[in-house]
Amino acid sequence: MDFEPAGYPIPHSSHWGAFSVLRHEDGIRIIPHPSDPDPARLLGNIPAALDHRARIATPMVRKGWLKDGPGPDRRRGREDFVPVSWEVALDLAARELRRVYTDHGGRAVFGGSYGWSSAGRFHHAQSQVHRFLNVLGGYVKSVNTYSSAAAAVILPHVIGSQEAAGRENVSWQELSTQTDVVLAFGGLPLKNTAVSSGGTSQHLARDHLLAAHRRGARFHLISPLRDDLPPEIEPVWHPIRPGTDVPLMLGIAHTLMAEGLHDRVFLDRYCVGYPEFEAYLSGRSDGIAKDADWAAAICELPAAAIRDIARQAAGKRTLVTCAQSLQRAEHGEQPVWMGVVLAAMLGQIGLAGGGFVYAMGSLANIGKPSLAVPLPTLPQRQNNVPDLIPVARIADLLLNPGQDYDFNGRRLTYSDIRLVYWAGGNPFHHHQDINRLRQAFCRPDTVIVHDSVWTASARHADIVFPATVTLERSDIGAAGNDPLLVAMHPAAAPFGQARDDYTIFSDLAARLGVADSFTEGRSAEDWLRHLYEPTRAALVRLGCDAPDFDAFWAAGELVLPTLPWDGGVVREFRADPDHRKLPTPTGMVEIASATIASYGYDDCLGHPAWMPPVEGVGSPLMREYPLHLVANQPATRLHSQLDFGAISVASKIKGREPVRLHPADAASRGIADGDVVRLFNHRGACLAGAVISQAVRPGVVQLATGAWYDPLDRAAAGPLCVHGNPNVLTRDAGTSKLAQACTGQLTIVQIERFDGPLPPIRAFDPPGG
């Protein structure tokens, strides 16, 4: 499909918003979609995507692999690459894929992808790589996400799916018009509502929060970070110690129980397991009453404030929100479960604007109505390999073949992976304890990566295929809770020799004799037309405007109909608990779960409970590493994407990621604003630029994820990430045996001023550059 002429707005989309591109002699300019009331500033990162020096221009093969062939290799990630032609690179990859599938089968192949590389529905790297590997015979897959895996496992046991407890439960419209009190555990940070998988045409959170505030709704922000809610809505900030939300919830719950403020009728009619939980809450089962005084000693909040929260919440339309960040920590299942229990005790579950909602404020499209028609979706075909891992157990998989482990009531075994194929995503951003991940990536025989830029994942590959970015190809942008379908026109020619993932996989499929199964005889444009048709047909059935593909493409967008908001299965259950059961084992809200109790896990009991972390509050390690590190989502980019973009680069201090710390913690360490500092613990160390701020509570430092991993290898002291990636510090361990989810939100560190010569930033330079 041809480019639009210079000066003509080119429609396109991204995970952080729909936009148009204006091409001119000096580059491109990004114009937010006119219907967006609060466009994401992350759009400012996009122009750098086209021609930054980090772009990969030609297929590359690691020197040692090219010389010595496949096999485990500690040089992976530490040596240069050799440019080769497309024919050579494709032949090498096809030969290695054939060898591994012939000798070891699909159970020796891990298909890695994380789905965030494009808002397009066809050039969706995760769908492309999984479809390709499935036609070869299947692959070992990962399940759930780094963002939300603990919740994805615990919620179906307790109240229903993430969809039921998040996207379909309470809307932004209901919050702005009906909610009286919001208990925002982890906040509702606007920086997170800037993005949503598949894109968004309207960022609505700020306006709805302001409307609720003007109406008189009262917000309680429960977070160690003051800016996890916007100051304009005047939230009451409760600067909790990181990772102690469960004790606080228990203290609130105990006050409700002790003062007779809990809704006994709701608990008896809609829930199971409350008497067992109350025995724990009151201390009858273990001798420890979980009252406000007990909670105050752990959370370091006044007991009177805890009791006041309970009294304010009781008898009103109260909404308990639980941010995704809470469950990205050790025992991360517990705050989600306890949030449901707290809402149940208040009797609010299933009421408009009340009850419990998960992940509201974590993504732009949560709390918006669902679409009435299906979206274009590339079929991934059948995976014939049953093996799987929870997504955050990738290093364990590679390092421990044959080892058994627990997961959600099952006993599974790690496969012996010989080949890793990664397209879309950067595990050296998402994963914890990156120094351990480096060791893990040395173990397979071969690592193949598609990427547009020299991320750490590409640097740790053996064969690197240069991939196009979204502005260099045609696609259809869409998301399940946003009404705008976007015709994503190309705005630039591919960089260097870059090709789109579909073309790469089609060429490999031809070499491996499965081209017909993979392509079904269609070009990329044929697929766009084919995938659009089910959406158009559904529009016809509804009597809506249903342009053919050419008319849609020429118009640049199409507004799709949405379903009326009805609160989903939770609202139905509230209205008719006898006939509209919840999708839980008992059909009720499970305050205590017989199913989970039957697993016999020592780190996830049959009811929500406070279990002190191995690293954190009460840990002996805090004597050596006394600061809590909050490694949260960045405000200047999506994950690690476009870390070299203008918005991301402008936030850095002397080229390093900024770290915020309280003035008292800075003063005691002789740290001034703008100093380069070293954060360290027993796992690793990194440099960052100090920002002195009252917005973090004392004893807490905040360093966002997403700075590209840039290790300076030091023989004696271990690698130092000179750029500021906090995942050199975080712990690579599952939340519990139940979910085995990511625990990367919190860790413990020490921090000191860095007085030595500043090492150069090489993260964005090509290998050997």
Side-chain angles (χ1 to χ4, degrees):
M1 299 179 181
D2 297 332
F3 299 141
E4 305 292 350
Y8 187 88
I10 302 168
H12 212 76
S13 190
S14 70
H15 294 299
W16 44 98
F19 61 94
S20 294
V21 180
L22 288 180
R23 296 169 55 237
H24 51 81
E25 291 182 359
D26 298 327
I28 62 172
R29 185 158 65 95
I30 304 299
I31 310 297
H33 195 276
S35 71
D36 193 341
D38 190 21
R41 65 190 185 114
L42 304 188
L43 293 171
N45 284 328
I46 291 176
L50 292 179
D51 57 5
H52 193 271
R53 68 180 186 277
R55 286 296 301 267
I56 305 172
T58 187
M60 305 287 274
V61 180
R62 185 172 61 83
K63 185 181 297 183
W65 193 93
L66 189 62
K67 176 179 178 290
D68 301 325
D73 195 339
R74 296 190 62 81
R75 296 172 295 177
R76 194 172 286 138
R78 292 173 170 85
E79 68 175 0
D80 291 341
F81 287 77
V82 177
V84 298
S85 68
W86 271 105
E87 291 300 306
V88 168
L90 291 165
D91 287 345
L92 288 170
R95 185 176 66 198
E96 178 63 355
L97 284 161
R98 182 179 293 111
R99 180 189 74 84
V100 172
Y101 273 97
T102 300
D103 294 350
H104 305 287
R107 300 180 81 163
V109 176
F110 181 76
S113 182
Y114 205 58
W116 283 97
S117 66
S118 170
R121 304 295 296 182
F122 173 64
H123 292 292
H124 178 249
Q126 186 181 77
S127 297
Q128 292 282 348
V129 67
H130 290 172
R131 178 181 175 88
F132 172 69
L133 295 177
N134 282 336
V135 301
L136 292 181
Y139 63 98
V140 177
K141 68 178 181 180
S142 64
V143 296
N144 300 324
T145 66
Y146 280 91
S147 297
S148 196
V153 174
I154 190 65
L155 283 170
H157 286 285
V158 176
I159 193 170
S161 68
Q162 286 190 80
E163 293 293 314
R167 293 181 186 273
E168 301 171 355
N169 186 13
V170 177
S171 70
W172 282 109
Q173 180 67 28
E174 289 176 344
L175 186 152
S176 66
T177 59
Q178 299 188 56
T179 305
D180 297 322
V181 176
V182 178
L183 304 185
F185 289 92
L188 300 163
L190 289 178
K191 66 179 177 60
N192 292 355
T193 67
V195 303
S196 209
S197 179
T200 187
S201 60
Q202 294 186 322
H203 292 86
L204 303 176
R206 187 188 305 273
D207 286 350
H208 282 298
L209 288 171
L210 288 170
H213 172 60
R214 287 193 295 267
R215 186 178 49 81
R218 189 167 179 82
F219 291 86
H220 290 268
L221 169 60
I222 300 145
S223 169
L225 308 178
R226 188 172 60 196
D227 46 11
D228 274 342
L229 270 177
E232 308 95 276
I233 65 172
E234 301 179 282
V236 179
W237 183 31
H238 305 280
I240 192 172
R241 294 174 82 186
T244 63
D245 300 86
V246 170
L248 175 57
M249 292 178 182
L250 288 167
I252 295 169
H254 190 282
T255 301
L256 295 174
M257 176 196 68
E259 299 186 6
L261 299 175
H262 56 319
D263 191 330
R264 276 286 189 184
V265 173
F266 183 87
L267 293 169
D268 292 343
R269 183 74 179 88
Y270 294 88
C271 305
V272 295
Y274 178 73
E276 179 181 345
F277 171 74
E278 187 178 271
Y280 168 75
L281 183 67
S282 65
R284 293 195 305 273
S285 64
D286 64 0
I288 302 172
K290 316 308 181 297
D291 60 17
D293 294 295
W294 169 86
I298 300 171
C299 305
E300 293 186 350
L301 295 179
I306 296 172
R307 294 187 182 96
D308 188 54
I309 293 172
R311 293 162 186 158
Q312 286 191 39
K316 300 183 179 66
R317 187 57 55 90
T318 296
L319 180 63
V320 178
T321 72
C322 183
Q324 289 183 343
S325 59
L326 267 64
Q327 49 87 70
R328 290 196 299 270
E330 191 175 354
H331 309 304
E333 298 88 352
Q334 302 307 310
V336 178
W337 195 352
M338 189 59 216
V340 174
V341 172
L342 189 57
M345 291 183 69
L346 290 165
Q348 295 291 292
I349 290 176
L351 298 177
F356 172 83
V357 63
Y358 172 70
M360 187 174 235
S362 297
L363 292 167
N365 291 336
I366 290 178
K368 295 163 67 173
S370 298
L371 297 180
V373 296
L375 292 178
T377 303
L378 178 68
Q380 296 185 17
R381 304 182 71 94
Q382 179 67 37
N383 186 355
N384 293 320
V385 173
D387 300 35
L388 61 85
I389 61 164
V391 67
R393 303 275 57 80
I394 176 63
D396 288 348
L397 168 72
L398 297 179
L399 290 169
N400 303 304
Q403 179 176 299
D404 295 336
Y405 67 101
D406 291 298
F407 174 54
N408 198 15
R410 302 168 64 187
R411 190 73 173 164
L412 303 176
T413 303
Y414 290 124
S415 306
D416 187 359
I417 299 299
R418 302 302 183 97
L419 186 146
V420 173
Y421 206 127
W422 214 289
N426 178 11
F428 285 81
H429 156 71
H430 287 290
H431 200 68
Q432 286 63 62
D433 195 352
I434 292 179
N435 297 324
R436 182 172 185 258
L437 184 66
R438 288 182 90 186
Q439 299 172 20
F441 261 66
C442 292
R443 192 193 168 276
D445 291 348
T446 299
V447 178
I448 303 174
V449 167
H450 297 197
D451 215 327
S452 60
V453 287
W454 281 109
T455 61
S457 300
R459 295 172 192 268
H460 284 78
D462 300 309
I463 300 173
V464 179
F465 290 120
T468 54
V469 297
T470 66
L471 289 174
E472 297 165 348
R473 58 194 184 225
S474 301
D475 212 334
I476 300 173
N481 291 73
D482 189 86
L484 194 69
L485 193 72
V486 180
M488 296 170 61
H489 291 213
F495 179 85
Q497 298 180 37
R499 298 179 181 179
D500 63 66
D501 295 315
Y502 181 68
T503 299
I504 299 169
F505 286 130
S506 297
D507 288 343
L508 285 172
R511 285 165 166 79
L512 294 166
V514 293
D516 289 344
S517 296
F518 180 74
T519 69
E520 299 183 19
R522 296 187 180 98
S523 67
E525 182 175 345
D526 293 338
W527 271 109
L528 293 180
R529 293 176 179 276
H530 177 73
L531 298 179
Y532 174 77
E533 182 56 27
T535 304
R536 190 200 67 80
L539 291 169
V540 170
R541 290 192 295 271
L542 292 175
C544 300
D545 181 34
D548 63 21
F549 180 82
D550 290 325
F552 158 67
W553 197 258
E557 64 182 45
L558 176 64
V559 177
L560 302 177
T562 58
L563 296 171
W565 189 273
D566 60 8
V569 297
V570 176
R571 195 75 50 86
E572 290 179 350
F573 171 68
R574 176 77 187 222
D576 187 359
D578 293 323
H579 300 98
R580 298 287 187 175
K581 298 288 189 181
L582 289 175
T584 63
T586 61
M588 309 282 276
V589 176
E590 299 214 4
I591 291 176
S593 167
T595 301
I596 294 176
S598 72
Y599 299 156
Y601 296 155
D602 58 359
D603 54 4
C604 189
L605 307 178
H607 58 76
W610 165 241
M611 286 172 276
V614 172
E615 298 184 9
V617 172
S619 165
L621 275 172
M622 290 205 74
R623 289 193 289 269
E624 188 172 357
Y625 307 109
L627 298 173
H628 286 93
L629 170 63
V630 177
N632 61 350
Q633 295 293 341
T636 59
R637 58 188 170 264
L638 167 59
H639 300 146
S640 63
Q641 286 190 42
L642 301 178
D643 188 26
F644 50 77
I647 303 300
S648 183
V649 169
S651 72
K652 296 182 187 288
I653 296 172
K654 298 177 183 175
R656 331 281 156 170
E657 191 68 15
V659 57
R660 294 193 296 174
L661 67 164
H662 190 271
D665 296 317
S668 67
R669 292 164 174 81
I671 295 170
D673 201 72
D675 281 349
V676 172
V677 297
R678 184 175 78 101
L679 292 84
F680 61 96
N681 62 18
H682 50 300
R683 277 181 292 273
C686 69
L687 301 183
V691 176
I692 313 304
S693 174
Q694 295 275 3
V696 296
R697 65 158 280 155
V700 170
V701 296
Q702 178 264 319
L703 176 63
T705 60
W708 281 19
Y709 179 53
D710 193 358
L712 176 65
D713 288 318
R714 304 170 299 168
L720 171 72
C721 178
V722 303
H723 193 203
N725 189 317
N727 275 328
V728 301
L729 304 162
T730 51
R731 182 169 176 253
D732 184 12
T735 50
S736 78
K737 297 181 182 71
L738 185 76
Q740 294 285 2
C742 160
T743 57
Q745 180 79 11
L746 302 177
T747 192
I748 53 176
V749 299
Q750 182 57 284
I751 186 169
E752 64 185 10
R753 191 176 66 239
F754 184 79
D755 292 324
L758 284 178
I761 305 294
R762 303 164 299 167
F764 306 134
D765 297 334

Coordinates of all heavy atoms in Angstrom, one line a residue, residues 205-257:
A205 N -9.6 8.7 32.0 CA -9.5 8.6 33.5 C -9.5 10.0 34.2 O -10.1 10.2 35.2 CB -8.2 7.8 33.8
R206 N -8.7 10.9 33.7 CA -8.5 12.2 34.4 C -9.9 12.9 34.5 O -10.2 13.4 35.6 CB -7.5 13.1 33.6 CG -7.2 14.4 34.4 CD -6.3 15.3 33.5 NE -5.1 14.7 33.1 CZ -4.0 14.6 33.7 NH1 -3.9 15.2 34.9 NH2 -2.9 14.1 33.2
D207 N -10.6 12.9 33.4 CA -11.9 13.6 33.4 C -12.9 13.0 34.4 O -13.6 13.7 35.1 CB -12.5 13.7 32.0 CG -11.8 14.7 31.1 OD1 -10.9 15.5 31.6 OD2 -12.0 14.7 29.9
H208 N -12.9 11.7 34.4 CA -13.8 11.0 35.3 C -13.4 11.1 36.8 O -14.3 11.3 37.7 CB -13.9 9.5 35.0 CG -14.8 9.2 33.8 ND1 -16.1 9.5 33.7 CD2 -14.5 8.7 32.6 CE1 -16.6 9.2 32.6 NE2 -15.6 8.7 31.8
L209 N -12.1 11.1 37.1 CA -11.7 11.4 38.5 C -12.0 12.8 38.9 O -12.5 13.0 40.0 CB -10.2 11.1 38.6 CG -9.7 9.7 38.5 CD1 -8.2 9.6 38.4 CD2 -10.2 8.9 39.7
L210 N -11.8 13.7 38.0 CA -12.2 15.1 38.4 C -13.7 15.3 38.6 O -14.1 16.0 39.5 CB -11.7 16.1 37.3 CG -10.2 16.3 37.2 CD1 -9.8 17.0 36.0 CD2 -9.7 17.0 38.5
A211 N -14.5 14.6 37.8 CA -16.0 14.7 37.9 C -16.4 14.1 39.2 O -17.3 14.6 39.9 CB -16.6 13.9 36.7
A212 N -15.8 12.9 39.6 CA -16.1 12.3 40.9 C -15.8 13.2 42.1 O -16.5 13.4 43.0 CB -15.4 11.0 41.0
H213 N -14.6 13.9 41.9 CA -14.2 14.8 43.0 C -15.1 16.0 43.1 O -15.5 16.4 44.2 CB -12.7 15.3 42.7 CG -12.2 16.3 43.6 ND1 -12.1 16.2 45.0 CD2 -11.8 17.6 43.3 CE1 -11.6 17.3 45.5 NE2 -11.5 18.2 44.5
R214 N -15.5 16.5 42.0 CA -16.4 17.7 42.0 C -17.7 17.3 42.6 O -18.4 18.1 43.3 CB -16.6 18.2 40.6 CG -15.4 19.0 40.1 CD -15.7 19.8 38.8 NE -16.1 18.9 37.7 CZ -15.2 18.5 36.8 NH1 -14.0 18.8 36.9 NH2 -15.7 17.7 35.8
R215 N -18.2 16.1 42.5 CA -19.4 15.6 43.0 C -19.3 15.4 44.5 O -20.3 15.2 45.2 CB -19.9 14.3 42.3 CG -21.2 13.8 42.6 CD -21.6 12.6 41.8 NE -20.5 11.6 41.8 CZ -20.3 10.7 42.8 NH1 -21.0 10.7 43.9 NH2 -19.3 9.8 42.7
G216 N -18.1 15.2 45.0 CA -17.9 15.0 46.5 C -17.4 13.7 46.8 O -17.3 13.4 48.0
A217 N -17.0 12.9 45.9 CA -16.4 11.6 46.2 C -15.1 11.8 46.9 O -14.3 12.7 46.6 CB -16.2 10.8 44.9
R218 N -14.8 10.9 47.9 CA -13.6 11.0 48.7 C -12.6 9.9 48.3 O -13.0 8.7 48.3 CB -13.9 11.0 50.2 CG -12.8 11.3 51.1 CD -13.3 11.6 52.5 NE -12.2 11.8 53.5 CZ -11.7 13.0 53.7 NH1 -12.1 14.1 52.9 NH2 -10.7 13.2 54.6
F219 N -11.4 10.3 48.1 CA -10.4 9.3 47.6 C -9.4 9.1 48.7 O -8.8 10.1 49.3 CB -9.7 9.8 46.4 CG -10.6 9.8 45.2 CD1 -11.4 10.9 44.9 CD2 -10.6 8.7 44.3 CE1 -12.2 10.9 43.8 CE2 -11.4 8.7 43.2 CZ -12.2 9.8 42.9
H220 N -9.1 7.8 49.0 CA -8.0 7.5 49.9 C -6.9 6.8 49.1 O -7.1 5.7 48.5 CB -8.5 6.5 51.0 CG -9.4 7.1 52.0 ND1 -9.0 7.7 53.2 CD2 -10.8 7.3 52.0 CE1 -10.0 8.2 53.9 NE2 -11.1 8.0 53.2
L221 N -5.8 7.4 49.0 CA -4.6 6.9 48.3 C -3.7 6.1 49.3 O -3.2 6.6 50.2 CB -3.8 8.0 47.7 CG -2.5 7.6 47.1 CD1 -2.6 6.6 46.0 CD2 -1.7 8.9 46.6
I222 N -3.7 4.8 49.0 CA -2.9 3.9 49.9 C -1.7 3.4 49.1 O -1.8 2.5 48.2 CB -3.7 2.7 50.4 CG1 -4.9 3.3 51.2 CG2 -2.9 1.8 51.2 CD1 -6.2 2.5 51.0
S223 N -0.5 4.1 49.3 CA 0.6 3.9 48.4 C 1.8 4.6 49.1 O 1.7 5.6 49.7 CB 0.4 4.4 47.0 OG 1.6 4.4 46.3
P224 N 3.0 4.1 48.9 CA 4.2 4.8 49.3 C 4.6 6.0 48.4 O 5.5 6.8 48.8 CB 5.3 3.7 49.3 CG 4.9 2.7 48.3 CD 3.4 2.7 48.4
L225 N 3.8 6.1 47.3 CA 4.1 7.2 46.4 C 2.9 8.2 46.3 O 1.8 7.7 46.0 CB 4.4 6.6 45.0 CG 5.4 5.5 44.9 CD1 5.6 5.1 43.4 CD2 6.8 6.1 45.4
R226 N 3.1 9.4 46.5 CA 2.0 10.4 46.6 C 1.4 10.7 45.3 O 0.2 11.0 45.2 CB 2.5 11.7 47.2 CG 1.4 12.7 47.5 CD 1.9 13.9 48.3 NE 2.9 14.6 47.6 CZ 3.8 15.5 48.1 NH1 3.7 15.7 49.4 NH2 4.7 16.1 47.4
D227 N 2.1 10.5 44.2 CA 1.5 10.8 42.9 C 0.9 9.6 42.2 O 0.6 9.6 41.0 CB 2.6 11.4 41.9 CG 3.9 10.6 42.0 OD1 4.0 9.5 42.5 OD2 4.9 11.2 41.4
D228 N 0.5 8.6 43.0 CA -0.3 7.5 42.4 C -1.8 7.8 42.3 O -2.6 7.0 41.8 CB -0.1 6.2 43.3 CG 1.1 5.4 42.8 OD1 1.6 5.6 41.7 OD2 1.6 4.6 43.6
L229 N -2.1 9.0 42.7 CA -3.4 9.7 42.3 C -3.1 11.1 42.0 O -2.2 11.7 42.6 CB -4.4 9.6 43.4 CG -5.3 8.4 43.5 CD1 -6.2 8.4 44.7 CD2 -6.2 8.3 42.2
P230 N -3.8 11.8 41.1 CA -3.6 13.2 40.7 C -3.9 14.1 41.9 O -4.9 13.9 42.6 CB -4.4 13.4 39.5 CG -5.5 12.4 39.6 CD -4.9 11.2 40.2
P231 N -3.1 15.1 42.1 CA -3.4 16.0 43.3 C -4.6 16.8 43.1 O -5.2 17.3 44.1 CB -2.1 16.9 43.3 CG -1.6 16.8 41.9 CD -1.9 15.5 41.4
E232 N -5.1 17.0 41.9 CA -6.3 17.8 41.7 C -7.6 17.2 42.4 O -8.5 18.0 42.6 CB -6.6 17.9 40.2 CG -5.5 18.4 39.3 CD -4.7 17.2 38.7 OE1 -3.9 16.7 39.4 OE2 -5.0 16.9 37.5
I233 N -7.6 15.9 42.7 CA -8.7 15.3 43.3 C -8.6 15.3 44.8 O -9.4 14.7 45.5 CB -9.1 14.0 42.7 CG1 -8.0 12.9 43.1 CG2 -9.3 14.0 41.2 CD1 -8.3 11.5 42.7
E234 N -7.5 15.9 45.3 CA -7.3 16.0 46.8 C -7.4 14.7 47.6 O -8.2 14.6 48.5 CB -8.2 17.1 47.3 CG -8.0 18.5 46.7 CD -9.0 19.5 47.3 OE1 -10.2 19.5 46.9 OE2 -8.5 20.3 48.1
P235 N -6.7 13.7 47.2 CA -6.8 12.4 47.9 C -6.2 12.5 49.3 O -5.3 13.3 49.5 CB -6.0 11.5 47.0 CG -5.0 12.3 46.3 CD -5.7 13.6 46.1
V236 N -6.7 11.7 50.2 CA -6.0 11.6 51.5 C -4.9 10.5 51.3 O -5.2 9.4 51.0 CB -7.0 11.1 52.6 CG1 -6.3 10.9 53.9 CG2 -8.2 12.1 52.7
W237 N -3.7 11.0 51.5 CA -2.5 10.1 51.3 C -2.2 9.3 52.5 O -1.9 9.9 53.6 CB -1.3 10.9 50.8 CG -0.1 10.0 50.4 CD1 -0.1 8.8 50.0 CD2 1.2 10.4 50.6 NE1 1.2 8.3 49.7 CE2 2.0 9.3 50.1 CE3 1.9 11.6 51.0 CZ2 3.4 9.4 50.1 CZ3 3.3 11.6 50.9 CH2 4.0 10.5 50.5
H238 N -2.2 8.0 52.4 CA -1.8 7.1 53.5 C -0.5 6.5 53.0 O -0.5 5.5 52.3 CB -2.8 6.0 53.8 CG -4.2 6.6 54.1 ND1 -4.5 7.1 55.3 CD2 -5.3 6.8 53.3 CE1 -5.8 7.5 55.3 NE2 -6.3 7.3 54.1
P239 N 0.7 7.0 53.4 CA 2.0 6.5 52.9 C 2.4 5.2 53.5 O 3.3 5.2 54.4 CB 2.9 7.7 53.2 CG 2.3 8.3 54.4 CD 0.8 8.2 54.3
I240 N 1.9 4.2 53.1 CA 2.1 2.9 53.6 C 3.5 2.3 53.3 O 4.1 2.7 52.3 CB 1.0 1.9 53.0 CG1 0.9 0.6 53.8 CG2 1.2 1.7 51.6 CD1 -0.3 -0.2 53.3
R241 N 4.0 1.5 54.2 CA 5.2 0.8 53.9 C 5.0 -0.2 52.7 O 3.9 -0.9 52.7 CB 5.7 0.0 55.1 CG 6.2 0.9 56.2 CD 6.5 0.0 57.5 NE 7.9 -0.5 57.4 CZ 8.4 -1.4 58.3 NH1 7.6 -1.8 59.2 NH2 9.6 -1.8 58.2
P242 N 5.9 -0.2 51.8 CA 5.7 -1.1 50.6 C 5.4 -2.5 51.0 O 6.1 -3.1 51.9 CB 7.0 -1.0 49.8 CG 7.5 0.4 50.2 CD 7.1 0.5 51.6
G243 N 4.4 -3.1 50.4 CA 4.1 -4.5 50.6 C 3.3 -4.9 51.8 O 3.1 -6.0 52.2
T244 N 2.7 -3.8 52.5 CA 2.0 -4.1 53.7 C 0.5 -3.8 53.5 O -0.2 -3.5 54.5 CB 2.5 -3.3 54.9 OG1 2.4 -1.9 54.6 CG2 4.0 -3.6 55.1
D245 N 0.0 -3.8 52.3 CA -1.4 -3.6 52.0 C -2.3 -4.6 52.7 O -3.4 -4.2 53.2 CB -1.7 -3.6 50.5 CG -0.9 -2.5 49.8 OD1 0.3 -2.8 49.5 OD2 -1.4 -1.4 49.6
V246 N -1.9 -5.8 52.8 CA -2.7 -6.9 53.4 C -2.9 -6.6 54.9 O -4.1 -6.6 55.4 CB -2.2 -8.3 53.2 CG1 -2.9 -9.3 54.0 CG2 -2.3 -8.6 51.7
P247 N -1.9 -6.3 55.7 CA -2.1 -5.9 57.1 C -3.1 -4.7 57.3 O -3.9 -4.7 58.2 CB -0.7 -5.6 57.6 CG 0.2 -6.4 56.8 CD -0.4 -6.4 55.4
L248 N -2.9 -3.7 56.4 CA -3.8 -2.6 56.5 C -5.3 -3.0 56.2 O -6.2 -2.6 56.9 CB -3.4 -1.5 55.5 CG -4.3 -0.3 55.4 CD1 -4.5 0.4 56.7 CD2 -3.8 0.7 54.3
M249 N -5.5 -3.8 55.1 CA -6.8 -4.3 54.8 C -7.4 -5.1 56.0 O -8.6 -5.0 56.3 CB -6.8 -5.2 53.6 CG -6.5 -4.4 52.3 SD -6.4 -5.6 50.9 CE -6.0 -4.5 49.5
L250 N -6.5 -5.9 56.6 CA -7.0 -6.7 57.8 C -7.4 -5.8 58.9 O -8.4 -6.1 59.6 CB -5.9 -7.7 58.2 CG -5.7 -8.9 57.2 CD1 -4.4 -9.6 57.6 CD2 -6.8 -9.9 57.3
G251 N -6.6 -4.8 59.2 CA -6.9 -3.8 60.2 C -8.2 -3.1 60.0 O -9.0 -2.9 60.9
I252 N -8.5 -2.8 58.7 CA -9.8 -2.2 58.4 C -10.9 -3.2 58.6 O -11.9 -2.9 59.2 CB -9.8 -1.7 56.9 CG1 -8.7 -0.5 56.7 CG2 -11.1 -1.2 56.5 CD1 -8.5 -0.2 55.3
A253 N -10.7 -4.4 58.1 CA -11.7 -5.4 58.2 C -12.0 -5.7 59.7 O -13.1 -6.0 60.1 CB -11.2 -6.7 57.5
H254 N -10.9 -5.8 60.5 CA -11.2 -6.0 62.0 C -12.0 -4.9 62.6 O -12.9 -5.2 63.4 CB -9.8 -6.1 62.7 CG -9.9 -6.6 64.1 ND1 -10.3 -5.8 65.1 CD2 -9.7 -7.9 64.6 CE1 -10.3 -6.5 66.3 NE2 -10.0 -7.8 66.0
T255 N -11.8 -3.7 62.2 CA -12.6 -2.6 62.7 C -14.0 -2.7 62.3 O -15.0 -2.5 63.1 CB -12.0 -1.2 62.2 OG1 -10.7 -1.1 62.7 CG2 -12.9 -0.1 62.8
L256 N -14.3 -3.1 61.1 CA -15.6 -3.3 60.6 C -16.3 -4.4 61.4 O -17.5 -4.3 61.8 CB -15.6 -3.7 59.1 CG -15.1 -2.7 58.1 CD1 -15.1 -3.3 56.7 CD2 -16.1 -1.5 58.1
M257 N -15.6 -5.5 61.7 CA -16.1 -6.6 62.5 C -16.4 -6.2 63.9 O -17.5 -6.4 64.5 CB -15.1 -7.8 62.4 CG -15.5 -9.0 63.2 SD -14.2 -10.1 63.5 CE -13.1 -9.1 64.6

